[in-house]
Amino acid sequence: SGRITTLKQNKEEEERMHAARVAEAADQRRRDDEEKQRRAAEERRLAREKRLKARQTFNGDSEDGTDALETPPDIDEEMYDTMYKVLEAVKRNTNCWLFMEPVTDEIAPNYRLIIKRPMDISTIERFLDDYKYQCIDEFVEDCRVMFANCRLYNGPRSPYFKMADSVESSLRRQITK
């Protein structure tokens, strides 16, 4: 009887240790993913600043002989400044990490089979950088597609569904300012 109790206790301890190792590995993967996303966001921010500085600094050719980046003539810079500010404010939401990079099938199996128009923050930033939006409504629509995709793929009982609600709420607050 004592030996069986000891064996059960050992088995329970092994299971607790295994669960702790699994939880720690998951936490480490999450931390690694968040760090990767932070680095990618910083690289995008620096590239955007470089492009903006090039537009502000040069009229015509740059010092190294390459053409300076110029804002297309029909672009409303004030509108683009507003969209960048809205996106930066939205990115401060603690749940925004989920939306920073494109979803992969490794992270979300069969995602591309379910979601026909993937969207994420890095893609929206690239569209902003490339002046793809003709109006703020197009920008907002891409943001809403991103949240709708999350809800559709994950379902209403998922914590990711609630995260989409939280970040979308941040977007709404910024748009109404």
Side-chain angles (χ1 to χ4, degrees), residues 6-24:
T6 303
L7 290 173
K8 283 183 182 178
Q9 289 171 342
N10 288 344
K11 176 98 171 133
E12 289 171 356
E13 181 61 24
E14 284 177 16
E15 289 172 354
R16 277 193 296 276
M17 290 174 60
H18 176 72
R21 284 192 302 272
V22 168
E24 178 57 32

Side-chain angles (χ1 to χ4, degrees), residues 10-154:
N10 288 344
K11 176 98 171 133
E12 289 171 356
E13 181 61 24
E14 284 177 16
E15 289 172 354
R16 277 193 296 276
M17 290 174 60
H18 176 72
R21 284 192 302 272
V22 168
E24 178 57 32
D27 285 346
Q28 185 61 47
R29 279 193 303 275
R30 181 188 50 77
R31 287 190 299 270
D32 291 347
D33 287 346
E34 287 174 353
E35 181 58 30
K36 180 180 172 185
Q37 290 171 353
R38 272 193 290 278
R39 282 193 305 264
E42 180 64 12
E43 288 172 10
R44 285 190 307 275
R45 185 188 65 76
L46 292 172
R48 185 170 42 256
E49 284 179 4
K50 184 177 178 181
R51 283 191 295 275
L52 289 173
K53 185 176 180 179
R55 278 196 292 274
Q56 293 167 355
T57 305
F58 302 115
N59 282 326
D61 292 340
S62 66
E63 293 171 2
D64 65 1
T66 60
D67 289 337
L69 297 173
E70 297 210 10
T71 305
D74 58 340
I75 293 299
D76 179 349
E77 278 294 334
E78 188 174 319
M79 177 185 74
Y80 267 81
D81 287 344
T82 298
M83 290 186 288
Y84 275 116
K85 287 176 185 171
V86 165
L87 194 59
E88 290 304 315
V90 168
K91 286 167 51 177
R92 287 192 291 272
N93 182 299
T94 57
N95 293 312
C96 197
W97 64 268
L98 179 65
F99 303 99
M100 293 304 293
E101 297 295 326
V103 176
T104 64
D105 280 332
E106 179 183 311
I107 294 169
N110 298 318
Y111 186 80
R112 303 272 178 188
L113 295 174
I114 297 166
I115 302 302
K116 300 306 178 200
R117 187 173 163 228
M119 188 56 59
D120 64 278
I121 298 272
S122 70
T123 301
I124 291 169
E125 285 180 324
R126 190 176 70 249
F127 287 176
L128 283 168
D129 292 345
D130 294 341
Y131 296 101
K132 299 278 187 191
Y133 296 117
Q134 298 300 309
C135 63
I136 289 179
D137 289 343
E138 292 176 359
F139 162 79
V140 172
E141 177 60 22
D142 276 350
C143 292
R144 290 192 172 137
V145 165
M146 177 175 66
F147 304 130
N149 289 348
C150 178
R151 291 182 188 106
L152 175 64
Y153 181 82
N154 293 291

